[in-house]
C-alpha cells in the first residue's frame, strides 16, 4: 500500500469541521500508521477472516488476489479516513453502494467486512489498539456501511447493464475507442463514470467515463489508454473485439454541469481524463447558448492529445468553447503551452467565480488542485472524482 494513495486528494491542511469527528479521524489515522508497515500481513489476515466469516464473498474477488493488490482493503481504509468530510463522502458512498450491487453484495457481507477489518487492524496495532480506537473504527465503518446499504436498498434500477461492443478502433498503439451498445439505456449524466467488467478479465472491474453525452441509440463511447503493466486496460485496447459482452455498473461521479445555473466552466484534463469533459461538451454543443467553457487539455507529448483535432473542430462551431493544448515534454510543438497543466492553468490567476472541473491521473489531479489552491482558487469551486488507489 502506498502512503500517498488517495481516493480524493483533499485540500492541504484541511481542518475537520467538528471536534468529535476530528478526534475519531485522529484515532483512526494514528492506529493505522502503526499497522501500515505490515499491510501485506494485514491484507492476508483480512481476506482470510472475511472468507471464513462469509465464504460466498470469495467468488466476488479475482481468482488470483495478488492481481488486485487488496483494492477493497485499501479502499476501505482510505474512505474511512475521509469520515471528517461528510459533504464529499456521503454522496460518493450512496453512488458506491448502488454500484456495489453489481457484486451481489448483501447486508451480511457488510457485517463480515466490518468484523474482518477491525480484527485485522487490532491484530497488528498492538498497544495502539484501545477501546476508544476500536470505537472510532467501528463508528466510522458503520457510517459508511449504512450509507452504502441504504442507497443500494433504495435503488430499484438494475444492479448492472449488459452491453455489446459494436466498434473497436485503435487510435494509436496505446489508445482505443470502443463503442458499446447496452441492452437498456444507462442513465448517466454527461461527465459521470461507470465501472465495467470485460470477458478477458473476469471480476476485475474498472472505472471508465463515457466520452459522449447520452444518445438516442444509447451507445456509450469509451476512450481507453493502455497503461504499462495494466491488467484490464491492456486487454481492452489490445484484445477486445466487436461482439464482446461487457457488464456496466451504476453511474457515479459529480463532474456534471447544469447549463442553466452554472457559472463559466474551467475544464482541466490530462490524457484520457478528457473523457468526462468531452461528454459534457458533447451535451452542451446541442444548445446555442451556454456558459463559457475553457478547456486546458494536456499530456506529456502532442501524441497524448489524441482528440485535439476533433475538439478544435467543435470549438470552431461553438463560440462558448475555447481549447488550450498543453504539452509537457515536446518543445517542438507549436500552438500549445509548454508546461504541466497545473502551471499552465495557474499562470492565468485564480479563476475566481469559475466552476473548475479536473480529471486525469491521481498525480495530475493532486498537483493541479494543490497548485490552484496556492493560486487562491476557492476550494468550493473545484471538483474532481475519486480516483483508484494506485
Ligand atoms: C473516475 C475514473 C474514471 C476513469 N476513466 C477512464 C477513462 O475514461 N479511460 C481510461 O483509459 N481510464 C480511465 N480510468 C482509469 C481506469 O479505471 C483504470 O484504472 C486504468 O485503465 C488502469 O487499469 P488497469 O487494470 O489496466 O491497471 P492496473 O492493473 O489496475 O494497474 C497496473 C499499473 O498501472 C498503474 N496505473 C493504473 N492506472 C493508471 C493511470 N491512469 N495512469 C498511469 N498509470 C496507471 C498502476 O499504478 C499499476 O502500477 C478512470 C478511473 C477513474 C477512477
Ligand atoms: C463501507 C463498506 C465498503 C466500502 C467503503 C467499499 C469501497 C470500495 C471501493 C472504493 C472499491 C473500488 C476500489 C478500486 O477499484 O480501486 C471497492 C471494491 C470492491 N469491493 Fe467494496 N466497499 C465496501 C464494502 C464491501 C463489501 C461488504 C463487499 C463484499 C464482500 C465489497 C466487495 C468489493 C469488491 C469485490 C471490490 C472489487 C475490488 C477487489 O476485487 O478487491 N465491498 N470497494
Amino acid at each position: 500500500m502506498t502512503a500517498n494513495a488517495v481516493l480524493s486528494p483533499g485540500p492541504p491542511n484541511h481542518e475537520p469541521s467538528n471536534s468529535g469527528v476530528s478526534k475519531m479521524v485522529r484515532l483512526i489515522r494514528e492506529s493505522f500508521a502503526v499497522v501500515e508497515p505490515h499491510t501485506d500481513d494485514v491484507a492476508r489476515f483480512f481476506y482470510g477472516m472475511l472468507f471464513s466469516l462469509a465464504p460466498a464473498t470469495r467468488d466476488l474477488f479475482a481468482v488470483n488476489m495478488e492481481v488486485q493488490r487488496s483494492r477493497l482493503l485499501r479502499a476501505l481504509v482510505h474512505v474511512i479516513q475521509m469520515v471528517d468530510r461528510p459533504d464529499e463522502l456521503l454522496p460518493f458512498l450512496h453512488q458506491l453502494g448502488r454500484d456495489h450491487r453489481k457484486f451481489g453484495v448483501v447486508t451480511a457481507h457488510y457485517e463480515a467486512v466490518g468484523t474482518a477489518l477491525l480484527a485485522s487492524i487490532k491484530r497488528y496495532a498492538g498497544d495502539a489498539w484501545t477501546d476508544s480506537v476500536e470505537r472510532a473504527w467501528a463508528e466510522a465503518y458503520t457510517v459508511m456501511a449504512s450509507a452504502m446499504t441504504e442507497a443500494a436498498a433504495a435503488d430499484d434500477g438494475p444492479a448492472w447493464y449488459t452491453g455489446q461492443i459494436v466498434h473497436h478502433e485503435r487510435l494509436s498503439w496505446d489508445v482505443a475507442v470502443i463503442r458499446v451498445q447496452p441492452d437498456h439505456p444507462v442513465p448517466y449524466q454527461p461527465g459521470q463514470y461507470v465501472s465495467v467488467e470485460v470477458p478477458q478479465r473476469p471480476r476485475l472491474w474498472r472505472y471508465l467515463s463515457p466520452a459522449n453525452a447520452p444518445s438516442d441509440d444509447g451507445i456509450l463511447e469509451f476512450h481507453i489508454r493502455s497503461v504499462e503493466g495494466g491488467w484490464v486496460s491492456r486487454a481492452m485496447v489490445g484484445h477486445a473485439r466487436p461482439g464482446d459482452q461487457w457488464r456496466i455498473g451504476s453511474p457515479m461521479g459529480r463532474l456534471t454541469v447544469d447549463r442553466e445555473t452554472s457559472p463559466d466552466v474551467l475544464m482541466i484534463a490530462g490524457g484520457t481524463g478528457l473523457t468526462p469533459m468531452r461528454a459534457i461538451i458533447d451535451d452542451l454543443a446541442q444548445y446555442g447558448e451556454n456558459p463559457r467553457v475553457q478547456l486546458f487539455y494536456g499530456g506529456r507529448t502532442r501524441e497524448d492529445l489524441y482528440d485535439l483535432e476533433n475538439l478544435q473542430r467543435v470549438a470552431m462551431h461553438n463560440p462558448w468553447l475555447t481549447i488550450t493544448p498543453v504539452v509537457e515534454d515536446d518543445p517542438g510543438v507549436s500552438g500549445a503551452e509548454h508546461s504541466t497543466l497545473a502551471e499552465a492553468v495557474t499562470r492565468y490567476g485564480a479563476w475566481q467565480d469559475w466552476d473548475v472541473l479536473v480529471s486525469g491521473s491521481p498525480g495530475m489531479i493532486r498537483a493541479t488542485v494543490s497548485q490552484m489552491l496556492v493560486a487562491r482558487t476557492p476550494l468550493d469551486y473545484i471538483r474532481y472524482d475519486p480516483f483508484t488507489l494506485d
Side-chain angles (χ1 to χ4, degrees):
M1 184 180 310
T2 54
N4 63 350
V6 285
L7 257 185
S8 173
N13 304 322
H14 175 78
E15 287 299 328
S17 48
N18 131 356
S19 69
V21 175
S22 142
K23 184 173 170 220
M24 190 201 269
V25 172
R26 186 174 51 74
L27 290 171
I28 289 170
R29 288 196 183 141
E30 284 170 2
S31 50
F32 186 67
V34 177
V35 307
E36 196 157 21
H38 314 285
T39 41
D40 286 349
D41 297 328
V42 177
R44 226 165 284 129
F45 189 87
F46 169 78
Y47 286 108
M49 183 162 216
L50 174 62
F51 299 154
S52 85
L53 287 173
T57 58
R58 179 62 187 95
D59 285 346
L60 309 183
F61 294 86
V63 176
N64 174 359
M65 296 288 296
E66 294 302 310
V67 170
Q68 287 290 77
R69 293 179 298 130
S70 58
R71 274 174 182 250
L72 167 59
L73 179 62
R74 290 186 301 149
L76 279 170
V77 169
H78 284 278
V79 176
I80 281 187
Q81 296 189 20
M82 286 169 66
V83 74
D84 57 343
R85 287 148 60 187
D87 292 351
E88 241 174 289
L89 188 60
L90 285 176
F92 170 64
L93 290 173
H94 293 153
Q95 294 181 338
L96 193 65
R98 288 192 279 272
D99 184 54
H100 264 54
R101 293 176 306 145
K102 75 193 178 203
F103 294 129
V105 177
V106 296
T107 308
H109 296 162
Y110 280 89
E111 284 159 24
V113 164
T115 306
L117 175 69
L118 265 69
S120 38
I121 306 287
K122 175 180 180 176
R123 185 182 166 102
Y124 291 92
D127 293 345
W129 191 261
T130 62
D131 286 350
S132 21
V133 168
E134 177 159 347
R135 261 196 310 278
W137 278 90
E139 268 177 49
Y141 181 78
T142 305
V143 168
M144 297 187 333
S146 313
M148 287 176 69
T149 49
E150 281 160 21
D155 192 322
D156 49 14
W160 72 81
Y161 302 82
T162 309
Q164 190 176 74
I165 298 188
V166 290
H167 178 89
H168 182 289
E169 180 189 355
R170 282 181 91 142
L171 298 185
S172 61
W173 69 272
D174 64 343
V175 176
V177 171
I178 298 181
R179 295 201 188 102
V180 176
Q181 172 75 68
D183 46 14
H184 294 285
V186 179
Y188 70 100
Q189 304 287 322
Q192 286 195 304
Y193 59 96
V194 291
S195 68
V196 305
E197 184 199 37
V198 304
Q200 291 82 3
R201 294 284 182 264
R203 299 182 206 168
L204 300 186
W205 292 80
R206 291 292 182 269
Y207 297 124
L208 296 176
S209 307
N212 60 327
S215 55
D216 291 343
D217 59 13
I219 288 181
L220 304 169
E221 176 169 315
F222 296 109
H223 297 181
I224 298 141
R225 182 183 302 278
S226 162
V227 306
E228 210 180 311
W231 280 87
V232 181
S233 58
R234 274 194 312 175
M236 288 169 169
V237 172
H239 306 297
R241 293 284 170 269
D244 284 359
Q245 294 278 339
W246 282 16
R247 289 209 287 161
I248 301 166
S250 304
M252 301 178 65
R254 51 190 203 134
L255 290 186
T256 53
V257 169
D258 180 345
R259 53 179 294 280
E260 305 281 345
T261 57
S262 176
D264 292 339
V265 185
L266 168 65
M267 297 179 168
I268 309 168
T272 44
L274 174 69
T275 48
M277 314 303 186
R278 197 177 181 278
I280 296 169
I281 291 170
D282 189 26
D283 180 49
L284 295 178
Q286 299 170 41
Y287 306 90
E289 280 196 28
N290 284 309
R292 245 185 322 162
V293 176
Q294 167 76 57
L295 168 67
F296 284 77
Y297 176 31
R300 239 175 8 84
T301 64
R302 170 64 183 81
E303 215 195 8
D304 291 337
L305 310 187
Y306 64 92
D307 201 40
L308 184 59
E309 281 84 6
N310 169 58
L311 287 165
Q312 285 172 330
R313 252 193 318 274
V314 178
M316 247 162 36
H317 299 289
N318 292 281
W320 46 267
L321 176 63
T322 311
I323 315 282
T324 305
V326 182
V327 287
E328 219 174 313
D329 295 340
D330 218 342
V333 177
S334 60
E337 302 221 358
H338 295 267
S339 64
T340 63
L341 273 164
E343 287 159 355
V345 170
T346 50
R347 212 172 280 144
Y348 295 85
W351 298 90
Q352 206 80 43
D353 300 328
W354 287 61
D355 244 351
V356 181
L357 309 184
V358 189
S359 167
S361 67
M364 173 267 172
I365 296 181
R366 229 182 342 252
T368 307
V369 174
S370 301
Q371 207 152 327
M372 292 201 80
L373 292 175
V374 171
R376 299 193 174 280
T377 308
L379 179 64
D380 290 351
Y381 282 77
I382 306 178
R383 272 180 292 152
Y384 45 85
D385 275 323
F387 237 84
T388 41
L389 303 147
D390 292 305

